[in-house]
Amino acid sequence: MRIVIRNARWIHADRIVEQSNELTIERGQIVANDSAAKADLVIDGEDCIAMRGGIDIHTHIGGGKANLARLLLPYRSRPVKSRFTVPNSPALTCPVPTTLEAGQRYLELGYTTCFEPAVVPSGARHAHYEMIDTPHLSTGGFVLLGNEEILLHRLSLTASDAELRDYVAWMLRATQCMAVKVVNAGGISGFKYNQRAMDLDTLHQHWHITPRVILNRLARAVDQLGLPHPLHVHCSNLGTRGNIASTLATIDAVEGQRIHLTHAQFHSYGSDGPLGYSSAAIQLADRVNKQPELSIDVGQVLFGETVTLSADTMHQFANRSMARPRRAIFQDLECQAGCGVLPFKYRHSQFVNALQWAIGLELFLLVKNPWQIFLTTDHPNGAPFTSYPHLIKLLMNYDFRMEILEQLHPATGDWCRLADLRREYTLEEIAIITRYGPARSLGLADQFNLGLGSAADLVLYEQDDDPEQMFSRAKLVFQSGEIVLRDGLPTNVAASKNIYRCEVPEVHLPSTIKDLWCQYNSLPVSSFKIADSELTDQNVRVRTVSLA
């Protein structure tokens, strides 16, 4: 089918093309315009903003934690009816919605691709099945390795670079994932051995290695393999006062190798203000601005009710008294990870919550290069993904930010510099942090731009002076060249979608690993590995992302 879109205002990564004559789609790709070829469908995009479909680089939409959160909080969330919530986006039916609702709501926002950033190796098969069950969205996963006991065992015996690289490659291929994630390196494992805190140079009491060693060696393995996406790191000391010191030390620990810091807002706290909290966003932003090999996503906090879920059992357990309502789930998962689920409510009148809101915005505004920072709320930890339009308006409108800042806890402005930051994001910059930047970081070569041969994952929004209104409801969404949403309503639940994985080499487990496998895992190796045929059907295909 040949589709021609005319008269839209196309937002590229580096420019806006005003009233572009036409863009042509055929066989799921953007192709050259040919006036002699007959179009099967012509779409008039007048008064529309058009760009690539959104890419969420870090959102918890599948796997064990998401299901535990659904069990813990099955009821409808109750957002505060005030100007601090998102008026144009109705509440999700629960903080972590069903797969059907997640797919539909992402599609309404113009998103076409989402990545689950915490795939437990033994639960990878289920995580993929759940993401396949999420309609409309292409997906991918990041495998959790920073606390996997076999890996820690080998590191404690100073495994060679080649052995570690091959083990990482084997895990990526076995779990059908495309990146490596570390959550509180060594800390989840340490918690199982009754350690209750671990800083970057704290010895694991059983394996006698430090988080610094784990991070450095894994970052090296990722670079040696040539994975497009850097080591994806959830730092030590999540949410604790003064944690900027360990965050900066984490950057130093990888010794100039590539690293991506996730939900960076939760790791950018000084210790000078009330309750021992102040903003340290300028310190992290200064590092990002000086180090092109460093990237972050923000994990923006917005006000209202949500649920925090994390593999970081150590810090979720430490924060259990903050759960609202007072309920929680903690889980140890074989030899690979942990899990903590706590309901939470961010209040604009509470100083630390208000400061968290300001710190996230400061990071967005202080990082100069939009290709190094990505828009996330760490759904659902900082806020539900349905709040993205509200967040985009905050970034694009200084007066709107200040209007809200003035109504927060009165000490908030004294311990951050948000009021001094008059920068307002452009549409091109919004497109970069929500689309083009994540695509480049993940190696999605057919989604870097709107050039010929690019995948036809596209969205049209009706132009509106209010960006929150505009980005709340897509007018038209294409997934692989098929129309999957028209005027806010899904049109094809069975549209084709992709599962992304990395093209790592085929390796075989050495005898040293095989001897340990049955000691630490309940699944035998033969059952652990996921075959392509388990994931694909007539609508789902596995897409291999080339190594850098």
Side-chain angles (χ1 to χ4, degrees), residues 21-293:
N21 183 33
E22 60 183 42
L23 182 141
T24 305
I25 301 169
E26 192 170 19
R27 299 182 301 278
Q29 295 182 325
I30 298 172
V31 299
N33 297 326
D34 184 353
S35 57
K38 182 180 178 180
D40 298 291
L41 176 64
V42 176
I43 295 170
D44 187 358
E46 189 172 359
D47 297 326
C48 286
I49 295 288
M51 59 182 74
R52 295 210 63 84
I55 299 174
D56 198 335
I57 201 170
H58 188 110
T59 176
H60 296 284
I61 58 170
K65 296 190 299 298
N67 282 296
L68 288 174
R70 292 175 183 125
L71 289 170
L72 186 68
L73 297 166
Y75 57 84
R76 184 177 181 83
S77 56
R78 301 182 296 275
V80 179
K81 296 296 182 183
S82 76
R83 69 167 294 100
F84 302 106
T85 57
V86 185
N88 301 315
S89 184
L92 294 167
T93 55
C94 62
V96 180
T98 64
T99 55
L100 176 62
E101 183 179 6
Q104 290 182 341
R105 298 302 296 278
Y106 261 115
L107 193 66
E108 290 170 12
L109 300 180
Y111 275 74
T112 55
T113 308
C114 291
F115 290 89
E116 166 54 56
V119 175
V120 178
S122 60
R125 182 175 278 102
H126 170 263
H128 281 300
Y129 286 168
E130 192 164 1
M131 289 188 280
I132 289 170
D133 197 48
T134 304
H136 315 299
L137 297 179
S138 292
T139 56
F142 307 161
V143 64
L144 285 171
L145 287 185
N147 289 275
E148 202 265 344
E149 297 286 312
I150 293 177
L151 183 140
L152 298 183
H153 177 280
R154 301 311 300 165
L155 284 177
S156 71
L157 299 177
T158 61
S160 69
D161 284 354
E163 180 184 347
L164 187 63
R165 180 197 64 220
D166 286 351
Y167 188 59
V168 170
W170 187 89
M171 270 291 189
L172 282 165
R173 199 171 185 93
T175 59
Q176 296 277 5
C177 285
M178 64 173 301
V180 177
K181 169 78 174 292
V182 175
V183 173
N184 186 12
I188 303 169
S189 171
F191 184 80
K192 298 175 185 180
Y193 291 94
N194 209 33
Q195 287 185 265
R196 291 296 178 259
M198 282 189 74
D199 212 336
L200 198 67
D201 293 304
T202 304
L203 273 179
H204 190 294
Q205 70 177 31
H206 179 76
W207 295 116
H208 306 294
I209 55 174
T210 65
R212 181 184 297 272
V213 169
I214 298 167
L215 289 165
N216 185 286
R217 298 296 306 280
L218 277 175
R220 191 184 311 168
V222 165
D223 278 357
Q224 288 176 346
L225 283 169
L227 300 186
H229 190 56
L231 186 66
H232 197 93
V233 177
H234 161 138
C235 297
S236 307
N237 298 315
L238 174 79
T240 60
R241 57 179 65 88
N243 65 9
I244 187 62
S246 60
T247 302
L248 299 179
T250 296
I251 299 170
D252 293 335
V254 300
E255 298 176 338
Q257 298 169 114
R258 297 178 306 141
I259 187 173
H260 175 88
L261 302 186
T262 191
H263 43 68
Q265 178 278 135
F266 289 103
H267 303 279
S268 299
Y269 305 153
S271 55
D272 300 325
L275 305 176
Y277 282 88
S278 58
S279 172
I282 190 171
Q283 294 172 255
L284 179 55
D286 184 59
R287 283 295 192 94
V288 177
N289 291 333
K290 291 177 179 177
Q291 297 183 220
E293 75 280 1

Side-chain angles (χ1 to χ4, degrees), residues 372-444:
Q372 290 179 263
I373 187 168
F374 310 131
L375 185 144
T376 67
T377 58
D378 186 19
H379 165 80
N381 289 293
F385 65 83
T386 48
S387 60
Y388 287 174
H390 180 75
L391 176 53
I392 289 171
K393 182 175 181 177
L394 287 168
L395 297 176
M396 296 185 73
N397 190 321
Y398 172 81
D399 291 336
F400 184 60
R401 292 196 299 268
M402 293 306 98
E403 189 179 344
I404 292 181
L405 179 62
E406 290 170 2
Q407 299 178 60
L408 304 186
H409 188 284
T412 306
D414 297 333
W415 298 100
C416 70
R417 54 171 299 189
L418 184 61
D420 299 330
L421 303 177
R422 303 191 67 90
R423 175 184 176 186
E424 294 181 332
Y425 267 63
T426 65
L427 278 173
E428 299 102 306
E429 289 174 322
I430 294 297
I432 291 170
I433 66 174
T434 60
R435 289 152 167 85
Y436 302 110
R440 189 172 76 171
S441 179
L442 292 164
L444 308 182

